[in-house]
Amino acid sequence: MNAILFDVNECVGCKACVYACAKENELPDTDLEILSEHRFTALEEINEDEEWYLRRMCMHCVEPSCASACPVGALKKTPLGPVVYDFDKCIGCRYCMVACPFNVPRYEWDSMTPRVRKCQMCHERVAAGKSTACAEACPTGATKSGERSALIAEAWRRIDSNPDSYARHVYGEKEAGGTCVLIIGPQEVIDVLNPNVPNTPLPHRTWFVLSQIPAAVAVVGAGLVGVNWIIQRRMKLASNTKTSTCEHTKGGKP
Amino acid sequence: MNASLRILARPWRLIGWLCVVAGLVATYVRFTQGLGASTNLSDDFPWGLWVGFDVVCGVGLAAGGFTISAIVYIFRFEKYRPIAKPAVLAAFVGYLMVVGGLLFDLGHPWRLWHPLVMWNHHSVMFEVSWCVTLYTIVLTLEVSSLVFERLKWLRALRRVHRAILPLTLAAVLLSMLHQSSLGSLFLLVPGRLHALWYSPILPLQFFISAMAVGCAMTIVESNLSSRAFGRSVEADVLSGVAKIAAALLGVYLVLRVGDLIVRGVITELWPLNHASLFFLAEIFLGTIIPMVLFSMHRIRRNTKWLYHSGQLAVVGFVVARLNVSITGFEVAAGKTYVPTWMEFAVTAMLVTIGIKVFYLAAKHLPVFEDDADAAARSRRWRAETDRQDGAPACAPGAARDGSLDQRGKASDEKLLPI
Ligand code: SF4
Ligand code: SF4
């Protein structure tokens, strides 16, 4: 599975990734600092005692909430890693936006044919065996694209060889059951990332309920039929003398 | 009396027209300039009033249809038969309004049918769309019997009547699925919904509260139609419905508060804030007060008070559902969302149209039983309750025969010792 590793300590804030992304996806000029319908990735400046840059983008979850939420399967996890979007299916219900634990998908609110907008990890490039546009553009190697397991190993190598400047945490290794974007850096920056994301994949929660449906329907259905049968029978026994006409219109009189 | 009623109706008619005109303006803006121009929705707040009220509340408020028809056609509590048809009609109109609301909210309303052919069985939304579609078909069939009866198409009528049991069964199963699934929708967002509202048992809570408010809606809607058509209220029947509602609200209260205690988040209520105030409003207005009122014999005997209690339960329910779909997100995100006037106007327009459609259908179709019957039954009931004074008068099943009568009363006394 393809993934992207972002190393806060290597990033110099040149925004080459942001420009490369805009070019690759033919996005218009706009404010570069926040994710929007025109920006699939953004560099957030973090000022503690030092200045750091944090890349925001779709995390390409291994088990994405957005894809499990989408009623028509417009969002899909591809085996190669990218979570991709098919506009022709999308009905615009925006459940994907509500469902994403990282608050990533954006919407073209002012369009009459609005699309959901988010990073698709250059899925065509990845399928052709190339690295993503942002990784290719990065002059320092702060953004790297490659096989997920190899990148996790590399992330830990960097952390272990320089424990003073890294938190012992690869953000995305476990979050939401694992993501295909991995972030390492100093504790101050890792703290900025959403800490509320549980480590089990979120779609398991809804699937747990959905998978009970066949059993629930069978049990409740059988129960209702049974109860109705018993009641009908007892009513018939109790009123042997009465002859029932059309059940539905009989009226409520005893 | 009739004259004073007409005067009373006039300001409402004016408000209704205002709602429709404002709604039409908003509709024009929505369908020429898009969601951004007409709503306060944003990337931080992708769902607002149209989802929160028109869909999440609307579907719940229409739950009276399946609840009452299950009571009548499956459990055969014959006493409730007179309100079965109005309840089903109200549900039908309610679901049409929900679909109407969806058409406004979806970015691509003309793709409404996509979930039916493009499947993702992992999606709760997919399941909800299928169930709502199927249930609307079931409701259409049920309501069609009224049309057949009116047109005297006896063969078709007989056919629908023969199918009433399977139809009701389908209605109950489909409703069970999508009423609870409306809650499941929010299971996916533990990080984005405040802990007072995010609960693993949301599906169960949504199902129970929908049935309870379905009963409350039946009470309200019966009272309104009795005013509109100048007929007497089915006081005895509604008293029974109120008892059922009280029991359901009791179950819901236990589930709701118990869940907060078990998850250890009841402490979140302490320093009173935005979230806890909204929670208290929801639990008192929508659950505790109506539950107490519905279980009081004196209230149930008084048509007017019963009506107001029903209204309270409905309002409280709306607060509760909006809390899940809006307040809970606001508090968790630390942001606020206030709908635009256009969002309100469209919602008000849909409600107005819904009421009007129900009124017209009820006027021209054989929805209500003969007024003479109802009045006679009501008188009998009052005389009876006066005699018994205080004892639960018309237990569900009282109209049935023999041993079942016994069972109905016994279980009822256990639930509501008044
Ligand atoms: S980060 Fe959000 S949008 Fe991206 S794959 Fe995960 S759930 Fe989907
Ligand atoms: S907005 Fe589109 S992509 Fe997102 S969940 Fe709805 S249909 Fe799927």
Side-chain angles (χ1 to χ4, degrees):
Chain A
M1 212 186 305
N2 201 73
I4 290 175
L5 172 64
F6 178 67
D7 185 338
V8 175
N9 284 335
E10 299 290 323
C11 178
V12 293
C14 68
K15 294 183 182 158
C17 52
V18 183
Y19 292 117
C21 174
K23 189 160 165 245
E24 178 72 23
N25 294 292
E26 294 165 2
L27 304 174
D29 271 350
T30 183
D31 175 18
L32 300 172
E33 318 299 337
I34 49 165
L35 288 188
S36 71
E37 61 187 285
H38 302 313
R39 282 290 168 264
F40 298 167
T41 182
L43 265 199
E44 189 177 316
E45 235 181 276
I46 292 164
N47 282 306
E48 295 284 331
D49 21 288
E50 249 181 273
E51 193 157 281
W52 286 296
Y53 299 92
L54 174 59
R55 261 193 85 185
R56 296 285 191 177
M57 60 191 293
C58 168
M59 302 291 286
H60 295 279
C61 309
V62 174
E63 289 188 53
S65 302
C66 59
S68 103
C70 179
V72 291
L75 287 158
K76 272 221 165 65
K77 178 79 178 173
T78 57
L80 280 176
V83 176
V84 296
Y85 171 65
D86 179 355
F87 171 65
D88 292 332
K89 288 183 176 171
C90 178
I91 57 174
C93 68
R94 310 184 299 284
Y95 188 27
C96 52
M97 306 176 68
V98 175
C100 171
F102 302 102
N103 191 7
V104 166
R106 306 282 124 158
Y107 203 57
E108 296 181 317
W109 292 103
D110 294 319
S111 162
M112 281 308 291
T113 51
R115 289 172 293 179
V116 170
R117 305 296 271 159
K118 74 171 199 67
C119 160
Q120 308 199 50
M121 210 196 249
C122 301
H123 60 98
E124 276 162 10
R125 295 176 61 112
V126 168
K130 290 198 274 184
S131 63
T132 61
C134 54
E136 193 179 82
C138 182
T140 65
T143 297
K144 239 183 122 172
S145 145
E147 181 58 33
R148 184 168 186 265
S149 49
L151 287 181
I152 291 177
E154 162 139 19
W156 280 110
R157 230 180 356 261
R158 291 192 199 179
I159 294 173
D160 286 334
S161 63
N162 205 344
D164 290 340
S165 37
Y166 286 99
R168 289 200 63 77
H169 188 161
V170 178
Y171 192 91
E173 186 183 1
K174 302 220 172 67
E175 275 73 15
T179 64
C180 283
V181 170
L182 306 157
I183 301 174
I184 54 172
Q187 190 66 49
E188 291 91 329
V189 179
I190 298 297
D191 285 346
V192 171
L193 290 158
N194 189 350
N196 286 335
V197 180
N199 283 349
T200 47
L202 294 165
H204 290 192
R205 300 180 183 222
T206 38
W207 181 241
F208 170 75
V209 177
L210 285 175
S211 57
Q212 316 284 335
I213 286 179
V217 169
V219 170
V220 175
L224 291 175
V225 170
V227 168
N228 178 262
W229 185 79
I230 293 172
I231 292 176
Q232 300 272 34
R233 228 183 108 73
R234 290 174 70 174
M235 287 175 83
K236 212 176 261 168
L237 290 179
S239 60
N240 259 340
T241 47
K242 287 180 202 160
T243 45
S244 71
T245 51
C246 190
E247 296 284 61
H248 186 51
T249 47
K250 202 168 61 180
K253 283 169 285 181
Chain B
M1 149 138 190
N2 243 344
S4 68
L5 259 182
R6 228 172 293 135
I7 291 165
L8 253 178
R10 223 170 267 153
W12 280 110
R13 188 164 297 173
L14 185 66
I15 292 172
W17 275 112
L18 282 178
C19 288
V20 170
V21 171
L24 286 176
V25 175
T27 307
Y28 177 76
V29 177
R30 159 68 186 91
F31 287 105
T32 52
Q33 288 160 51
L35 286 165
S38 49
T39 68
N40 265 343
L41 298 176
S42 65
D43 289 330
D44 288 319
F45 247 95
W47 280 357
L49 189 70
W50 288 344
V51 173
F53 184 84
D54 301 16
V55 179
V56 177
C57 290
V59 168
L61 291 172
F66 90 88
T67 312
I68 304 290
S69 45
I71 291 172
V72 174
Y73 301 121
I74 294 184
F75 298 110
R76 299 300 299 273
F77 289 113
E78 294 299 324
K79 176 181 144 191
Y80 298 97
R81 204 172 270 269
I83 55 169
K85 285 186 205 168
V88 168
L89 179 64
F92 176 66
V93 174
Y95 274 80
L96 291 186
M97 283 158 64
V98 168
V99 175
L102 267 178
L103 291 177
F104 279 87
D105 186 74
L106 289 183
H108 302 275
W110 53 89
R111 294 182 181 170
L112 189 66
W113 51 274
H114 274 197
L116 301 182
V117 292
M118 301 167 191
W119 289 19
N120 174 17
H121 66 280
H122 281 269
S123 165
V124 181
M125 183 83 81
F126 165 75
E127 188 236 310
V128 172
S129 8
W130 263 94
C131 287
V132 169
T133 309
L134 292 178
Y135 184 43
T136 309
I137 296 175
V138 169
L139 282 169
T140 312
L141 288 174
E142 287 182 327
V143 168
S144 72
S145 79
L146 298 174
V147 179
F148 295 151
E149 199 175 331
R150 170 70 210 262
L151 296 175
K152 302 222 164 23
W153 291 4
L154 293 183
R155 183 119 49 92
L157 182 63
R158 228 172 297 136
R159 228 169 257 163
V160 179
H161 281 178
R162 223 172 290 144
I164 198 71
L165 188 61
L167 280 178
T168 309
L169 202 63
V172 173
L173 291 175
L174 290 168
S175 297
M176 175 184 83
L177 293 186
H178 73 268
Q179 294 285 0
S180 60
S181 289
L182 277 184
S184 311
L185 281 178
F186 297 96
L187 285 181
L188 210 47
V189 294
R192 301 183 69 177
L193 186 56
H194 190 272
L196 281 175
W197 289 284
Y198 181 87
S199 155
I201 58 165
L202 269 173
L204 190 59
Q205 292 175 344
F206 265 53
F207 181 50
I208 308 270
S209 64
M211 287 196 291
V213 83
C215 294
M217 267 306 267
T218 308
I219 292 171
V220 172
E221 161 253 297
S222 268
N223 274 281
L224 285 178
S225 35
S226 83
R227 284 183 192 194
F229 299 112
R231 49 192 297 286
S232 55
V233 181
E234 302 91 340
D236 55 334
V237 184
L238 294 188
S239 163
V241 173
K243 264 193 223 173
I244 299 172
L248 286 167
L249 286 173
V251 175
Y252 175 70
L253 184 66
V254 172
L255 283 176
R256 187 75 172 90
V257 177
D259 167 66
L260 290 183
I261 295 172
V262 170
R263 283 189 298 124
V265 293
I266 193 112
T267 48
E268 296 272 341
L269 288 176
W270 239 246
L272 277 190
N273 54 28
H274 189 69
S276 51
L277 284 177
F278 270 87
F279 173 79
L280 292 176
E282 135 187 1
I283 205 84
F284 277 99
L285 290 183
T287 311
I288 297 178
I289 301 179
M291 181 185 75
V292 171
L293 291 175
F294 282 151
S295 50
M296 283 164 64
H297 183 64
R298 241 180 321 154
I299 299 284
R300 286 203 311 272
R301 279 210 44 166
N302 183 324
T303 311
K304 204 170 125 204
W305 274 103
L306 188 57
Y307 172 50
H308 291 315
S309 312
Q311 283 176 317
L312 189 68
V314 169
V315 171
F317 170 85
V318 170
V319 174
R321 288 279 164 107
L322 290 181
N323 276 348
V324 178
S325 48
I326 295 177
T327 318
F329 281 89
E330 279 185 325
V331 179
K335 300 197 171 90
T336 48
Y337 154 81
V338 181
T340 58
W341 70 265
M342 286 178 269
E343 293 177 79
F344 282 116
V346 166
T347 303
M349 173 180 73
L350 289 172
V351 172
T352 312
I353 294 178
I355 293 175
K356 190 73 192 169
V357 169
F358 180 85
Y359 174 80
L360 287 177
K363 195 168 160 189
H364 295 293
L365 297 175
V367 176
F368 296 105
E369 64 173 344
D370 280 347
D371 198 35
D373 283 1
R377 203 162 24 73
S378 235
R379 263 198 309 281
R380 253 203 323 277
W381 173 71
R382 264 177 217 289
E384 217 172 279
T385 50
D386 280 342
R387 227 183 304 122
Q388 297 183 354
D389 192 37
C394 241
R400 244 195 269 134
D401 308 301
S403 56
L404 283 175
D405 224 83
Q406 231 57 45
R407 193 202 56 170
K409 263 185 187 150
S411 65
D412 215 68
E413 265 156 8
K414 236 182 285 149
L415 282 173
L416 298 161
I418 13 146

